[in-house]
Amino acid sequence: MPQVGVVGYGTIGKRVADAVAAQPDMSVVGVAKTSPNFEAATARERGYDLYAANGRDAFARAGVPVDGEVEDLVVESDVVVDATPAGVGAAYRDLYEAHGVPAIYQGGEAADTAPVSFVARANYDEAVGADAVRVVSCNTTGLSRLFAVLDEAVGVERARVTLVRRGADPGQTGSGPIDDILPSTRVPSHHGPDVQTVLPHVEVDTMAVKVPATLMHVQTVNCTLASDTDADAIRDALAGESRVLSIPPWLGVDGAGKLKSFAADLGRPRGDLPENCVWAESVTVSDRECYLVQAIHQESIVVPENVDAIRAVTGAASAAESVARTDETLGLGGPLPLAALLAGEAGR
Amino acid sequence: MPQVGVVGYGTIGKRVADAVAAQPDMSVVGVAKTSPNFEAATARERGYDLYAANGRDAFARAGVPVDGEVEDLVVESDVVVDATPAGVGAAYRDLYEAHGVPAIYQGGEAADTAPVSFVARANYDEAVGADAVRVVSCNTTGLSRLFAVLDEAVGVERARVTLVRRGADPGQTGSGPIDDILPSTRVPSHHGPDVQTVLPHVEVDTMAVKVPATLMHVQTVNCTLASDTDADAIRDALAGESRVLSIPPWLGVDGAGKLKSFAADLGRPRGDLPENCVWAESVTVSDRECYLVQAIHQESIVVPENVDAIRAVTGAASAAESVARTDETLGLGGPLPLAALLAGEAGR
């Protein structure tokens, strides 16, 4: 059973650690963190061995005991999930490679940090046995899942997406904007090419604006489909996906705030929503032009992908087996509260 | 010289009154308002005759003198600009018609409130001599101006736009959202058909999301062009427009906040920006697919259109004459501070 080290224990790392701990076929050997803060305190509380990522001094001053430093964790690990801030993962690459430990990087790293950019629904098999994998960013993961489904169902000739990006995560108290709308003047934005690291044959142009919200991204999506179909066929294709939630109108969910409240009411850990959240009534098709709106929870959407990436690099399971196991343990899709609640209504 | 009555003296009405007062060929006969608030106080301060729109009692209690009621204002007017809240204009239509006074309605009214929906750049001539005109909404005005130019220059085969809408105007303190992104699940949204009330031959689909910002709307625009061209040709076409500001990168204007600060620094009345504000570097063209981002100041973009609509219904000037006169008096385009500052840099 692979021992997984989690390097970087912030927004993504702490969620990945909990998700790994919930799996029957892998375990958390420890987590590494730069500074002793509320997350470090919680890591100990949850029983994870804690390793200092930037020297032990700050931990000693705070009185938080550590079990070693990053290299000690890497030595103990069969696989490392690197959930450090963008760019830091690449700096750790030599360390992981020196110990021959396969690494799962996040989407903040450059695409060439790992031989495979990964979204389970799109290209699991490419990552099987790889030395390193990059789980792509939250927006790219959401788009790749969606286009993998649509491309399989009807073919996507060209996609055009506007990313209405949350300005910061709830805990990033120093980031803006406040009361402003900041477009990326680089058009198309880098997200389209990033989707193509996972789905090279899907033509997708993206534009991005940043807004004063913290809860989720919202993506407005247009696809010119390769063949004609209707909205119900698209809804049916999406309803069959365990990592897509089709939000029916009767839920009264009008935005990210109610989506997050819904997840919290359901008892989801941290109120997370690792699924693409598609407003079912927004799905329209006319003359091969498909439109829809989906929300992406930037803090959690990549969590199941990290778990699947661990199984892929260790060759522990097929794509279907891994996704099913991850979904069951994390409560995504299947005969679980949310899916059951939406069953029969999903997509309508 | 036409005497113009302004019914409704809120965000739009007060700006239209000032714009009309600045014209050499029309004058403000008075303004009507429902309640005595800071805007009513300012109207008197600016020397406008003030008419009570919903009885005189509230004004009497506040000690604000009025010169009559709405009907008295209509009787004195050669043209009425109705800048009342959405839906109220239609309720006043009988009054205007009973007195045979041509009316200019705003975009909150249904398209069938007036025989012509109006954007000067697109269809001035259709409004010449009309009994009533509807100046379309801020988002629709911005899109119609843009597509009128692009369609003339290269032809627009199909346009797809995401409207990132400000949640409320700065003074609308009871409106949201706060920290949320609210998509319109009606897809495409009503804005596309509204553009077609002005430019019936332009195929445009729109999606809309509402965000916690008050300053301006931001529109991400995709057009499939009818013929191939390059980004410079599009920038040149836009640079020739007096009601489009091409924002070059060296200004360092990254969003609505700095655009509004720029307008305020230039001494624009109320810090207004009645032009489409297009980020020049966002203009890209590849394989007939054109992308750009523009910001729309919802409080002022329709102001020059209202002035032009007055000239159209009174038959006082041709489109070119009216637009030139409006622009000169309001400081839009031409050899004026902003245009001069951007001259040579516009669009680069």
Side-chain angles (χ1 to χ4, degrees), chain A residues 6 9 12-22 28 31 48:
Chain A
V6 179
Y9 191 79
I12 301 300
K14 64 190 180 186
R15 288 173 164 86
V16 170
D18 290 356
V20 168
V28 178
V31 304
Y48 299 137

Side-chain angles (χ1 to χ4, degrees), chain A residues 8-291:
Chain A
Y9 191 79
T11 301
I12 301 300
K14 64 190 180 186
R15 288 173 164 86
V16 170
D18 290 356
V20 168
Q23 305 304 309
D25 56 346
M26 57 184 78
S27 65
V28 178
V29 66
V31 304
K33 190 146 185 36
T34 48
S35 50
N37 67 356
F38 74 96
E39 285 161 330
T42 317
R44 291 215 68 89
E45 184 72 21
R46 294 197 173 215
Y48 299 137
D49 283 357
L50 183 62
Y51 294 79
N54 201 16
R56 299 171 187 238
D57 294 357
F59 289 89
R61 280 196 302 275
V64 175
V66 295
D67 300 285
E69 301 200 25
V70 175
E71 188 159 4
D72 304 318
L73 174 60
V74 174
V75 167
E76 298 291 322
S77 301
D78 300 313
V79 181
V80 163
V81 174
D82 182 292
T84 59
V88 177
Y92 273 123
R93 185 165 58 170
D94 286 349
L95 176 67
Y96 306 147
E97 287 181 355
H99 292 279
V101 179
I104 316 293
Y105 299 97
Q106 307 305 309
E109 305 307 318
D112 63 5
T113 305
V116 183
S117 288
F118 179 85
V119 173
R121 181 62 178 81
N123 68 342
Y124 183 100
D125 290 345
E126 287 176 34
V128 172
D131 290 337
V133 164
R134 183 181 73 118
V135 170
V136 294
S137 72
C138 47
N139 271 307
T140 303
T141 299
L143 290 175
S144 298
R145 277 188 197 158
L146 178 70
F147 294 141
V149 176
L150 298 186
D151 198 46
E152 209 172 277
V154 281
V156 172
E157 203 166 87
R158 183 175 206 121
R160 305 164 188 88
V161 178
T162 293
L163 310 170
V164 184
R165 298 172 54 208
R166 61 85 181 95
D169 290 343
Q172 294 175 309
T173 44
S175 298
I178 292 173
D179 195 19
D180 207 339
I181 304 172
L182 303 182
S184 167
T185 54
R186 181 178 162 188
V187 175
S189 71
H190 71 276
H191 304 87
D194 205 32
V195 171
Q196 294 188 305
T197 65
V198 178
L199 293 168
H201 59 289
V202 174
E203 291 281 338
V204 49
D205 291 332
T206 50
M207 305 177 84
V209 298
K210 207 154 74 167
V211 302
T214 65
L215 303 177
M216 302 179 80
H217 302 297
V218 170
Q219 303 176 337
T220 62
V221 177
N222 162 255
C223 295
T224 305
L225 301 172
S227 57
D228 212 3
T229 185
D230 61 18
D232 278 343
I234 301 294
R235 290 191 194 107
D236 287 346
L238 295 173
E241 295 293 318
S242 61
R243 292 184 187 171
V244 175
L245 284 185
S246 293
I247 307 297
W250 66 265
L251 285 179
V253 169
D254 61 355
K258 290 206 188 76
L259 274 174
K260 292 282 288 142
S261 296
F262 183 35
D265 288 353
L266 286 166
R268 289 288 191 90
R270 295 186 175 89
D272 283 350
L273 277 165
E275 302 97 337
N276 290 30
C277 299
V278 176
W279 276 276
E281 64 183 330
S282 76
V283 178
T284 61
V285 180
S286 171
D287 197 22
R288 295 201 291 128
E289 294 284 322
C290 174
Y291 293 94

Side-chain angles (χ1 to χ4, degrees), chain B residues 3 6-7 33 37 60 79 96 98 113 118 121 140 142 162 171 173 183 186 271 298 303 320 340 343:
Chain B
Q3 303 292 308
V6 179
V7 177
K33 190 144 185 41
N37 67 357
V79 182
Y96 307 147
T113 306
F118 179 85
R121 180 63 178 79
T140 303
T162 293
T173 44
R186 180 177 163 187
Q298 75 280 357
V303 171

